[in-house]
Structure formats: structure tokens, C-alpha cells
Amino acid sequence: MSLDDAFKDPFFRDESFFGKYTYKNSPAAIKRFPFPFPEDDYMYSVNMEPHVSGRPGSVFEHAFDVDEHYVSEMRDRARVLADDPLRCQSLPHMTLAGWDLLELIMESFARDYPQWFELHKDGNKWHWINRPLGIDDKFTFLDESTLPYGPMEYITRQAQGDFTLQDQREDNLWIEAGMVTSQADWSLDFDIGMSFHEWHAPVPLAGKMGVFDRALKFLLQLQHGAPVRRFNWTMTVDPLLDTSPENYHKWGPSKTTLSAENIGQRQHLRVELQTLFRLPRSNAIAFPIRCYLISFEDLVSQPKWARRLHRVIKNLPDELATYKGFIRNRPLMIEYLSQFDDGAPTSPGWWADE
Amino acid sequence: MSGASKIPAIVTEVVEVNSLIKRFRFVREDGGPMPGFSGGSHTVVEMEDDGRRRLNAYSLMSDPADRSGYEISVRRDDGGRGGSMFMHARVKPGMRMQISQPVNLFGLDLRAKKHLMIAGGIGITPFIAQMAQLDGLGGRFELHYAARDRELGAYMNELSARYGERVHRYYDTEGQAIDLPTLLKGQPLGTHLYVCGPKGMINWVLSTAQKQGWPKGALHSEEFLAPPVGEAFQVDLALSGVTVNVGATQSMLEAIEAAGIDAPYLCRGGACGQCECKVREAEGELLHYDHWLSDEQKEARSHIMPCVSRFKGSRLVIEL
């Protein structure tokens, strides 16, 4: 069914993540933005915590956050996939994990957002209704021939954020399926089939600190029914979801066009809420990577975040600023943010001050 | 305890399968569906045995597609520490028990072109769930199942009826044995080998396969260790500031839990690594019984697994 038929709920913004970049956060979305720094400085850590239902209205309220950008993000995903179908791949043995993911997302959406999504089951005969995207499909669970795409592709065309599926064997995790169109400069097509340490090899410093050994050990024991979450972050010029290596030639040069005049509108803090779920039938691990973007201008409307981001960026090791791709513009960022840092202490935790 | 919430369950069926084995069926107390699971998973069953809490892991043997309940089979071990005795003597239909979310340490490798399964005795149980799952997915499998005699060969007839020539049966008392070297030589490329049964059988199967050049990644085994009985000892928990007395038929983990300390665990059988503890001081001998620690770690006397391992000596201090 075409997206043009979508039922209209004014909650969902009509905006673009390319070209004229009409993406913007509403005042409510700014307030609930997942600001990722609990302290005034930042260093790598495993920093995982149980992914349990959090503060009402926050991005932690539900297992999967559906926000005002949902419909436009799904349209952006369809656009990226049309240009490059290899952004979605699933090795043959990962189909069962795809069904697990489909079930997890459908059950969560229908439970947490009944005004938008419905799931009806009669044994393996399932009926799925997605009102915002105008989808109404009947299919047979575990029978691929009854869906227009494979199960992972079908459901991740309807869920914000990137998704990877990791098979577990030989005491390791293997990235063997994924839907990746809103990534911070990494490529599924390049990484698919890699083991945990292989796909993390480009990350500086953390390997030496033993972060990946500990993280892998932790994840191998991840239990069904006990998902976990962590944050990651980087910087992006303009609200572009698809900052992929495949398209670096299109977006990379934008970093050279930043100035003191436009940095407030164009520089965005990019936050990933990463969650990890053990999947029941396949014993694979689902790794949703949900991307949130906020312009510096909107971010500094929260005085605590403005002060803290200034301190974090100023004190970050060069290796990290280089790896995250903003070493070139760091002086400009610090200059801009310093206007909003009066040196006052910040309150603990990441929530905005009331 | 770790992570996931427990599942409050009711025992709905207790079936005497033969003179040593009983089968138990659990449904959720709230009437809802059980979580789906992958073939090869186990659940940890909590038993309240006259004030003594026992937690034993048992493989799930029901069809993973059936979310109405879970089934396990328990072989009575008359010389054991009492968990299986409790299940046999005390657990009746209608009883409420807590079970854990499923955990899989013996998963199928779904890349396999064929799954070759070798079971000894009660080691059949994870395969029953795996075969049901593979049958639903259209996977290719073959089972070789050895038991002492016809009476103790639990589920043999049912499995033959269900899967026909894919099931091969062997009875020790009738002089039948798996011709393993020939069996392994005849497998197509891309076959994965799974074995579950007594320790001797696992070692025999794995070493034969290794000698024939099977890749390590294609070999899978599961052996649940019951915590061994031993001599009583004392352990100091450095972080909790508590000294715990471990009884002869108690595991160190059980004694720690009985002292009110919330220690991490998953399999309670020395396989998963969850309960690994650093050793601060050990004046005496660490008796390692687990499959988890590396030989280097054991030699360095740096870690211990409280779920199965023990100590003999004057002073043991661990980081817990």
C-alpha cells in the first residue's frame, strides 16, 4: 500500500532528511531528546543498563520509541533503499531471527501504541495494521511467501532506527543480517559476516581498554526477557540520517562549509540509543540502533546541556574527535558552545533541568 | 540472581516415563503464553525443599513452536545431592514453582547443511526440541540415540514414529553400538555434529571427530555438571564482608545464596561463565569442576566458578 494513503495524524511531521533538510524537532521533542552525557566529561565504557520502561514521555518509556519523525523517517529509508538495495541484507540462516524481530516489534508496537498499530493472531495467521503508514496485511507467521519482503526487511521498513541481527556461535557474535540506512559512517555491506572484534576493529582506544572483551562476554550471556541499552554519539552536519561510507562523497564535504554564522542551525549532535534483545526462537541478538538528531541551536535552549556539551567537546581526546569525524570543526564548536557556558556546575544525570 | 524475571508456573502433568525418568509439564500461572525458545535451551527450576532452596537446570524438550507450556524430563539420581529426588518424590500436578527464562548454551548452527545428533540416555532431551524445531523449518537432521536397554530408552518409539528413518536406535544390553568412525566419515560437507550424554560419550564423539579432521566450529556438545559432593569448607566474601560455610552436599553458590547474598548465575552447571569470581587469597587447593575457565586461569589460581567448584584448605577469599 502506498505511503500517500497514510492516515493523517498531525503528530507526525512531514519533513526531509536531505535536500532542503526540513527536519526539525518540536519543542516537545527537544525536551525529550536523549542527551547522552551523564557527566561533564566522556570516555568509552561498556555503559550498559537494563532496558526497562523509563520516565513517561521519555524515549525510554517503551521498548521501541515511535516519535514525531516516524513517517518521514520511513519515507527516507524507502528512498535510500531504492538507491542502494544492499543496505538491507540477511544471510540465509538468519531468516528465523528476522521472524523473531518481526514478532518483537509488532507485539511491542501494538501493546505500546494501540492508537496506531494493531496485531491480531489466530495461530500462525496474523493480521497487522499500521495506520500511520497505511499498511493492512494478513500473512502466515514463519511463511516468507506470504509477505512482500523477508520478515526483517518487512518490519524494519516500518520501524525507526537501524537494526542488525547477530548470530551466536563459537562463543562469539556474528553480524549476519541488518537494515542500515541511518548509520554513523559504517557499512553493513562491508561488515556482514564479521565477528564481534572484527566489526569493532576501527574504534580507537577501546580495544586496549578491554572494553570489547568485556562487552562480548556480557552479551553472550544476554537473557531473553532482559534487554539492555547504551548510548553512543557523534556529530553530523545537517540532519542527514544516511551518513554512510557509500555516500561519503555526497555528505563528507559538507563539513568544510560550516561557519560561525551557520553552525547553530547546521551542526547536529547525533545520538544513538542502542538496545540489545535476546531473540527467542533463533537465540540470535537483535541490535536496534536508533538515531536522534538535534541542532546545536535547539540543544543550547537547555542551559545544562549547553554547558555540559561544551565541556565534553573541549576535553575529548583527539583520537576520539578524529574517529567521530569532527576534529576539523572542533574549534568552531567550542567557540560556539562557550557562549553558553558560564562555568556554573551541572546537575548529575542527563535529564534537562526543569 | 541475574537479569531476567522468573516465570511463575504451575505443574500440570507429571508422567512416569520409565523406572528412572519422569516428565513434567509447566504452564504459566497467569495463563499467558510461555516465551518462545530455541531448541537446545534449558530452564532453571527452583525447588523449595523444606527450607532449602535448590535450583537445577533441565533441557526443554517440548516443541519450541508450542507456547502453551514447557516440558522437561528428569532422571532420578539416587546418589546425587537431592534435586532430582525432590522432583521425583515431591513435585505433583497443581504445584506452583518458579522457572527461569530459557537460556541456550547448546544452540543449533542454522548454517549447517545437515545436523547429525548423537544422544546418550537422558541426553536425548535437548534433541527432542531441536528436532521439532528443525522439522518445522525444513532442516535436515539425523539422530543416533543410545540407551542401556529398551526399558530405559525414553521416547525412542515416539521419535521413531515421528521421524522414521532419521532416528537410529542402539541398546547396550543387546550389544548394539554406534559405529562412529564410519558414521562420521559418511557425512556430507557442511554437516554439524551435536552430542549430549555422559562425559565418556562426549569425549569419545568429539575426539573421534577431531581425529577425522572435523572443524572445531562444527562440533557442539552439552554436558550439564551436577555440582559434585565434597568436603565442607569455608569461604570469605571480600566485597560483602561475610564468611560462608559450605556444606558437603551443598555447592558454594547455594551456600552463598543461603547466606542472603545475591550472586549472579545462569546455568549452575559450570558452562555459561556467569558466576565467575576472582580469587583474592587461597591457602589450599582450588577444586575446579567447570568447563568455563581456561587452563591458564586455573593454573594462575585467579578465578573460580562457585556453581560447581570447591575448595580444600585453610583459607579462601573471593571477590563477591
Side-chain angles (χ1 to χ4, degrees):
Chain A
M1 209 173 272
S2 124
L3 297 189
D4 301 335
D5 301 336
F7 107 126
K8 298 282 183 257
D9 182 331
F11 175 76
F12 297 111
R13 294 176 48 86
D14 183 1
E15 59 194 0
S16 68
F17 298 86
F18 69 105
K20 290 204 163 82
Y21 294 112
T22 57
Y23 168 89
K24 195 148 180 54
N25 286 298
S26 69
I30 294 172
K31 266 286 188 198
R32 76 193 292 277
F33 189 83
F35 186 73
F37 306 109
E39 296 166 338
D40 285 357
D41 54 6
Y42 171 81
M43 192 53 209
Y44 284 126
S45 63
V46 177
N47 69 334
M48 285 194 259
E49 62 173 6
H51 185 43
V52 290
S53 179
R55 224 182 246 213
S58 75
V59 302
F60 304 132
E61 184 176 4
H62 301 304
F64 296 92
D65 182 37
V66 176
D67 69 9
E68 63 187 26
H69 309 296
Y70 175 63
V71 173
S72 293
E73 262 187 66
M74 293 301 94
R75 199 162 49 204
D76 197 60
R77 165 154 293 159
R79 175 187 70 87
V80 173
L81 283 170
D83 285 348
D84 184 359
L86 292 177
R87 301 303 186 82
C88 179
Q89 299 188 46
S90 175
L91 299 187
H93 64 283
M94 298 304 282
T95 304
L96 183 62
W99 284 110
D100 276 332
L101 180 68
L102 174 142
E103 178 190 50
L104 174 66
I105 294 177
M106 285 186 178
E107 287 186 347
S108 303
F109 276 21
R111 177 189 65 227
D112 297 334
Y113 308 95
Q115 71 278 32
W116 297 327
F117 307 97
E118 282 176 41
L119 177 64
H120 304 281
K121 294 183 190 173
D122 176 12
N124 278 348
K125 303 281 175 209
W126 289 22
H127 181 190
W128 169 244
I129 299 170
N130 176 337
R131 290 205 176 81
L133 297 184
I135 292 168
D136 184 326
D137 282 335
K138 291 180 176 144
F139 63 96
T140 306
F141 187 66
L142 298 178
D143 180 353
E144 271 191 283
S145 69
T146 60
L147 282 176
Y149 306 101
M152 179 193 69
E153 179 170 358
Y154 178 78
I155 196 59
T156 57
R157 280 176 177 268
Q158 303 177 45
Q160 287 168 278
D162 286 345
F163 292 83
T164 65
L165 298 176
Q166 279 68 227
D167 195 21
Q168 180 161 336
R169 53 176 194 271
E170 296 172 54
D171 290 329
N172 212 323
L173 295 172
W174 308 81
I175 177 168
E176 290 178 331
M179 168 66 92
V180 178
T181 66
S182 53
Q183 69 281 56
D185 205 8
W186 71 276
S187 164
L188 175 71
D189 192 40
F190 185 76
D191 283 2
I192 197 160
M194 287 188 184
S195 68
F196 191 79
H197 284 79
E198 286 171 341
W199 87 70
H200 283 110
V203 183
L205 305 180
K208 265 181 268 166
M209 294 164 59
V211 168
F212 297 125
D213 295 333
R214 268 178 286 139
L216 175 61
K217 216 166 172 173
F218 177 83
L219 292 177
L220 290 174
Q221 296 169 2
L222 184 68
Q223 271 188 283
H224 182 257
V228 295
R229 65 178 171 233
R230 69 181 289 265
F231 279 130
N232 199 4
W233 66 279
T234 188
M235 293 286 177
T236 303
V237 177
D238 299 324
L240 178 66
L241 286 173
D242 176 31
T243 49
S244 57
E246 286 89 342
N247 281 332
Y248 188 83
H249 57 290
K250 295 181 193 164
W251 60 269
S254 67
K255 292 185 214 175
T256 65
T257 62
L258 219 55
S259 67
E261 290 68 46
N262 65 22
I263 185 170
Q265 295 117 48
R266 293 191 58 199
Q267 182 64 59
H268 287 68
L269 173 64
R270 183 186 192 102
V271 176
E272 289 175 354
L273 171 58
Q274 306 180 340
T275 47
L276 292 136
F277 296 81
R278 173 71 66 191
L279 297 175
R281 292 172 187 76
S282 59
N283 201 37
I285 289 181
F287 184 42
I289 310 158
R290 175 64 184 280
C291 173
Y292 294 88
L293 291 162
I294 189 170
S295 68
F296 270 25
E297 196 173 66
D298 284 344
L299 188 138
V300 300
S301 68
Q302 306 302 312
K304 169 180 169 179
W305 295 352
R307 290 185 186 107
R308 183 167 289 169
L309 187 64
H310 173 239
R311 296 167 199 179
V312 167
I313 299 301
K314 209 162 95 180
N315 298 326
L316 198 71
D318 284 353
E319 293 96 321
L320 286 179
T322 303
Y323 171 65
K324 289 178 184 290
F326 64 86
I327 187 92
R328 170 197 181 99
N329 288 327
R330 179 149 77 159
L332 210 52
M333 293 178 187
I334 295 170
E335 193 189 321
Y336 175 81
L337 293 168
S338 67
Q339 310 167 61
F340 308 97
D341 187 1
D342 55 8
T346 51
S347 58
W350 52 61
W351 306 106
D353 289 328
E354 291 302 326
Chain B
M1 153 55 223
S2 41
S5 58
K6 299 295 177 61
I7 303 172
I10 298 176
V11 179
T12 54
E13 278 174 45
V14 180
V15 177
E16 198 162 330
V17 178
N18 58 37
S19 58
L20 281 181
I21 296 172
K22 278 189 177 180
R23 184 173 73 241
F24 302 84
R25 182 174 178 84
F26 298 94
V27 303
R28 283 184 77 109
E29 208 181 283
D30 63 11
M34 288 287 191
F37 70 95
S38 50
S41 297
H42 68 263
T43 184
V44 174
V45 177
E46 296 191 15
M47 307 166 213
E48 296 301 334
D49 187 0
D50 293 330
R52 184 159 165 186
R53 191 159 157 266
R54 301 178 184 280
L55 296 108
N56 281 17
Y58 296 104
S59 294
L60 294 172
M61 59 169 286
S62 41
D63 182 347
D66 172 16
R67 292 179 64 183
S68 66
Y70 284 168
E71 289 178 13
I72 60 169
S73 278
V74 179
R75 185 184 195 278
R76 196 180 73 238
D77 180 2
D78 296 322
R81 299 164 336 112
S84 67
M85 302 286 281
F86 179 89
M87 291 297 294
H88 272 253
R90 307 276 292 277
V91 176
K92 308 281 181 220
M95 203 163 139
R96 284 164 203 276
M97 297 180 90
Q98 299 256 35
I99 63 175
S100 76
Q101 295 272 342
V103 172
N104 200 340
L105 302 172
F106 189 49
L108 291 167
D109 189 326
L110 293 175
R111 297 172 308 162
K113 301 282 182 262
K114 176 182 170 184
H115 304 269
L116 178 64
M117 302 164 170
I118 298 181
I122 193 67
I124 187 64
T125 52
F127 293 127
I128 297 177
Q130 288 182 333
M131 287 187 287
Q133 192 172 25
L134 285 172
D135 201 40
L137 294 171
R140 184 175 169 198
F141 64 86
E142 184 179 306
L143 171 74
H144 295 261
Y145 175 15
R148 196 189 319 153
D149 55 37
R150 284 176 191 268
E151 201 259 320
L152 290 180
Y155 308 115
M156 277 200 176
N157 294 334
E158 293 92 322
L159 291 171
S160 286
R162 207 176 297 161
Y163 303 119
E165 290 183 351
R166 288 179 281 181
V167 174
H168 303 256
R169 312 191 288 185
Y170 307 83
Y171 301 107
D172 299 349
T173 50
E174 297 177 30
Q176 298 164 345
I178 303 171
D179 178 2
L180 190 63
T182 309
L183 177 67
L184 295 188
K185 271 193 197 107
Q187 297 305 315
L189 277 179
T191 300
H192 278 245
L193 174 63
Y194 305 79
V195 55
C196 185
K199 196 180 186 68
M201 179 187 222
I202 293 176
N203 292 343
W204 170 60
V205 170
L206 295 183
S207 63
T208 307
Q210 275 155 10
K211 264 183 243 149
Q212 285 195 14
W214 280 61
K216 195 166 161 270
L219 306 179
H220 312 271
S221 63
E222 176 157 80
E223 181 201 3
F224 272 122
L225 298 168
V229 173
E231 290 170 31
F233 62 96
Q234 222 176 43
V235 55
D236 292 339
L237 311 183
L239 306 182
S240 319
V242 175
T243 299
V244 173
N245 291 304
V246 184
T249 61
Q250 201 177 20
S251 73
M252 199 188 326
L253 178 61
E254 288 167 343
I256 290 166
E257 289 170 340
I261 310 291
D262 201 12
Y265 70 84
L266 274 182
C267 78
R268 305 178 79 88
C272 77
Q274 182 83 2
C275 71
E276 180 184 289
C277 260
K278 277 195 184 143
V279 172
R280 271 206 194 160
E281 284 177 53
E283 287 161 31
E285 198 187 346
L286 299 172
L287 305 169
H288 295 292
Y289 295 107
D290 61 278
H291 292 308
W292 172 257
L293 296 177
S294 64
D295 291 343
E296 295 77 48
Q297 282 174 307
K298 287 179 185 172
E299 211 162 284
R301 296 160 55 87
S302 59
H303 294 79
I304 193 162
M305 310 299 293
C307 66
V308 289
S309 296
R310 306 186 70 86
F311 177 73
K312 193 174 178 174
S314 56
R315 182 170 161 79
L316 173 66
V317 185
I318 63 173
E319 278 187 25
L320 194 74

